[in-house]
Amino acid sequence: MRNLFNLDGPVLQFINKIVYSVYLNILWFICCIPIVTIGASTTALFYVTLKIAKNEEGSLTKAFFHSFKENLRQGTAIWLILLVVGVVLGIDGYVLYHMRFENVFWTLCTAVFFVAAAAYAVILMYIFPLLARFDNTIGAMFKNSLLIGARFLFCTLLMAVVYFVMLLVIVRIFTPAVIFGEGLCALLCSYLLSNILALCQTKSEEHADAAAEPQ
């Protein structure tokens, strides 16, 4: 029982990681203030939380700003695309909600909207962790996010639950929980994603080795 509370015990290790998530949430929020840097900031957050999930955290601040600088251009471009698409989906949803018609056309449009919104949510959850871990084109990042999210559907659903519960707690139950916010969500999702991204890394290396072999 005493070993649970020593410096290397699971209880203090768990508390340390929660404290890390709070600190990272503050860094993430500060770096999101210009709005256009939300993508780079979120990528940097996942870069560190994925390391924490593997017990390789090191210096949190140094790792965060290293990733922020490395992914600033691509993360910003991805975020701006997501922002524009999100605004379009929001307008479409508003119009569909306020123009309800009981006919086939409205039903079809609504179905298409929900499919598009689901795909958007999947990409939003996966693209920044992928950017934190892999180098690729923006188009490939979007494609891979959707494919991986669809393939590992159970993980996708668990990640969605993590974000939904955090939002529910902050909005309806205990607003000061915002101090955990995205930092804790990213940490929990990183534990879920760790093995998946490792598998993707292995597959990527196998394809690279196969491509490098002489024909």
Side-chain angles (χ1 to χ4, degrees):
M1 184 70 179
R2 184 168 52 190
N3 290 334
L4 288 174
F5 296 95
N6 64 32
L7 292 177
D8 295 320
V11 173
L12 286 182
Q13 286 293 316
F14 173 76
I15 293 173
N16 280 341
K17 292 181 187 299
I18 297 298
V19 173
Y20 292 160
S21 73
V22 172
Y23 175 66
L24 289 170
N25 187 58
I26 294 170
L27 283 183
W28 172 81
F29 179 77
I30 292 172
C31 292
C32 284
I33 290 175
I35 305 300
V36 295
T37 56
I38 288 177
S41 185
T42 306
T43 303
L45 175 63
F46 273 102
Y47 178 81
V48 182
T49 55
L50 285 167
K51 285 182 172 292
I52 294 174
K54 297 188 297 180
N55 296 312
E56 300 174 354
E57 50 264 35
S59 172
L60 302 183
T61 307
K62 183 177 180 180
F64 183 93
F65 284 105
H66 166 76
S67 177
F68 184 86
K69 181 180 178 181
E70 286 288 313
N71 297 291
L72 180 59
R73 179 177 298 178
Q74 198 168 30
T76 300
I78 288 172
W79 164 244
L80 291 177
I81 294 170
L82 287 170
L83 182 61
V84 171
V85 174
V87 169
V88 172
L89 284 174
I91 294 171
D92 288 344
Y94 180 86
V95 170
L96 286 171
Y97 179 78
H98 288 278
M99 296 182 65
R100 293 187 293 272
F101 299 105
E102 294 183 1
N103 56 40
V104 174
F105 179 74
W106 183 87
T107 302
L108 179 61
C109 288
T110 303
V112 171
F113 169 78
F114 278 114
V115 170
Y120 179 81
V122 170
I123 291 171
L124 195 61
M125 287 189 291
Y126 277 89
I127 196 163
F128 296 115
L130 284 178
L131 180 58
R133 187 72 179 268
F134 301 103
D135 291 324
N136 216 326
T137 64
I138 291 176
M141 286 291 180
F142 276 91
K143 176 183 175 181
N144 292 338
S145 297
L146 187 58
L147 292 176
I148 293 171
R151 179 179 177 185
F152 299 97
L153 189 57
F154 183 66
C155 177
T156 302
L157 293 175
L158 287 178
M159 289 171 65
V161 169
V162 167
Y163 283 108
F164 177 78
V165 170
M166 179 59 72
L167 181 63
L168 183 66
V169 168
I170 292 172
V171 174
R172 302 294 297 273
I173 301 174
F174 188 62
T175 303
V178 71
I179 192 67
F180 298 101
E182 180 66 14
L184 183 57
C185 289
L187 180 61
L188 295 175
C189 290
S190 291
Y191 279 103
L192 295 172
L193 287 169
S194 185
N195 290 335
I196 292 174
L197 295 182
L199 177 63
C200 293
Q201 179 74 43
T202 302
K203 293 291 185 182
S204 177
E205 290 173 354
E206 289 175 355
H207 286 308
D209 291 340
E213 290 179 358
Q215 300 296 322

